[in-house]
Amino acid sequence: MTQRTARAFLALWNSISGEGVQKEYETWHSFEHVPERVGLPGFIEARRYRSTANPLRYYTCYWLESADALATPQYRDVFTNPTVWSARIRPQMRDFFRMPCGLGGAHGNSSASRLVTLHLQSDDADAGALIDAALRSITSKAGLVSAQWGPARPTSDFPLANVDAGAAAQHQFVVMLDHLDDAALREATQQLLQALAPGLTPVTPPDHFELLTQVRQDELLSPLSARQPQRPELLSPFIQGDNA
């Protein structure tokens, strides 16, 4: 994260329709879509990840000054008026799931390329304190390079609807665990889940990812007073391929 303080984050999981669209999706997501989002008011940075188990599955974390970043006219505009390339890619998206979260806690002074995401649920209003204490303990013993968590604030106020994640509990949380390799992350993940049971349970199995790219608002080249530029020169080869 940058020197600006993040107090919220947007966790976003998705898959794509198949290998045939992957090169275009990676180009669009890396060079047009994520920079466009990061350039919006209240956004700080984004990190993009790809699943180590399924190369067609992705996770993106957008760090925000506050959850208000998701309620600005500029954020609504990028949804309701997508770029030509975004409109072309949207039908290829699968298993879309989006969770705005407040930042409940962050532990560790660094980051690593391997990530596990957890979507947890609990009937206990104080479950967040249990998550924070467990992460502090594991991180302090070098079981994790870093960890962040936050209470989810689900909302239906966006054009792309979530798939049903099956969570019925009143309180939901997203947890992100960083470490150096998958084996260490598996061990830390199991340690965490054991420490949290039975009060907190996973909604879905842990997801393992590797870092692809990181985009920070203070490193964008275009002025932040306007929407970030579209990239038609990068889209053009894919359109030409359609007509070949």
Side-chain angles (χ1 to χ4, degrees), residues 70-237:
L70 304 177
T72 66
Q74 294 91 333
Y75 187 64
R76 172 55 52 181
D77 179 56
V78 298
F79 270 120
T80 56
N81 299 292
T83 68
V84 172
W85 206 352
S86 293
R88 173 183 165 92
I89 290 291
R90 277 185 180 178
Q92 307 301 330
M93 305 279 277
R94 302 288 186 271
D95 307 319
F96 183 87
F97 196 74
R98 171 189 187 271
M99 295 194 77
C101 299
L103 181 59
H107 302 280
N109 297 319
S110 185
S111 61
S113 63
R114 299 291 175 161
L115 175 79
V116 160
T117 63
L118 294 169
H119 177 191
L120 305 176
Q121 63 180 358
S122 177
D123 293 321
D124 184 356
D126 297 323
L130 298 176
I131 296 173
D132 199 66
L135 291 177
R136 181 184 297 108
S137 175
I138 296 171
T139 305
S140 69
K141 299 171 184 176
L144 290 165
V145 171
S146 67
Q148 302 86 32
W149 72 275
R153 299 170 178 169
T155 174
S156 60
D157 186 26
F158 53 94
L160 298 180
N162 280 340
V163 297
D164 182 10
Q170 183 177 1
H171 306 286
Q172 299 181 46
F173 305 88
V174 173
V175 180
M176 294 176 285
L177 312 174
D178 277 2
H179 214 317
L180 307 175
D181 55 56
D182 288 333
L185 268 176
R186 289 190 193 95
E187 181 178 348
T189 301
Q190 290 307 308
Q191 184 180 352
L192 176 64
L193 292 175
Q194 290 171 9
L196 299 179
L200 282 134
T201 58
V203 177
T204 56
D207 265 331
H208 289 252
F209 297 93
E210 60 181 345
L211 180 66
L212 294 180
T213 60
Q214 178 177 352
V215 181
R216 304 194 334 177
Q217 190 183 90
D218 60 3
E219 293 179 345
L220 293 175
L221 297 179
S222 299
L224 298 180
S225 58
R227 189 167 170 173
Q228 294 297 297
Q230 300 183 40
R231 302 300 303 272
E233 77 282 8
L234 298 181
L235 168 61
S236 179

